Amino acid sequence: GPLTLLVLEIEHRNCSRVLIVASTGDVHGETGELFHLLDLLGYDGNGHHPEGRRLVFVGDLVDRGPDSIGVVRFVRGLVEAGRAQMVLGNHELNLLRGSRKHGNHWFWGEPEVIRKDKEALSFQVLADASFRAEAISFFKSLPVALHREDVRVVHACWRPESIAELQEFEGNAIEAYDFFTARAE
């Protein structure tokens, strides 16, 4: 179905505006819905907004939808060009960890049935080894959270004590995930 989105505009020191697009339904490979939303919000195809707004993607770009590859390449281009920021979601973390879950077999080039009420294979663009390396490199460059005095961005839940521990943690997102998961067990 269509994406359900929360849009926040924050005035930052009376000079720059930050636009945060947080999807309660997540993007999940839905290029058409993402591009339609950005068009409605006034962005061009290069992520420019006439008022200088900045996009922040809040994880879960991938899985389930038809074109996770297209979404990742589009967002990566915006991030690398300095026109957007992104934090990791649990779906990107699953891919980083090599964890095969329902909806992410596209990443390993394997078709699958996504909808439980369907018997036929779902339409998904399937990844090859080259894209897997590209995506892993991009995801490894992303933070789990963004924090400024006036705004906090995280995919799931912001717990001050957890964020403080993450800030002190020396390692990447995968190592942090493994460390905190093992500690919770």
Side-chain angles (χ1 to χ4, degrees), residues 112-122:
E112 75 177 303
V113 176
I114 302 297
R115 291 183 38 201
K116 292 178 180 153
D117 64 339
K118 243 173 100 175
E119 291 183 23
L121 292 173
S122 299

Side-chain angles (χ1 to χ4, degrees), residues 83-103:
R83 290 190 292 276
Q85 290 176 274
M86 180 182 159
V87 296
L88 292 168
N90 57 301
H91 286 260
E92 290 83 19
L93 285 168
N94 286 335
L95 298 180
L96 280 169
R97 298 186 70 245
S99 181
R100 291 174 191 242
K101 303 268 187 176
H102 177 72

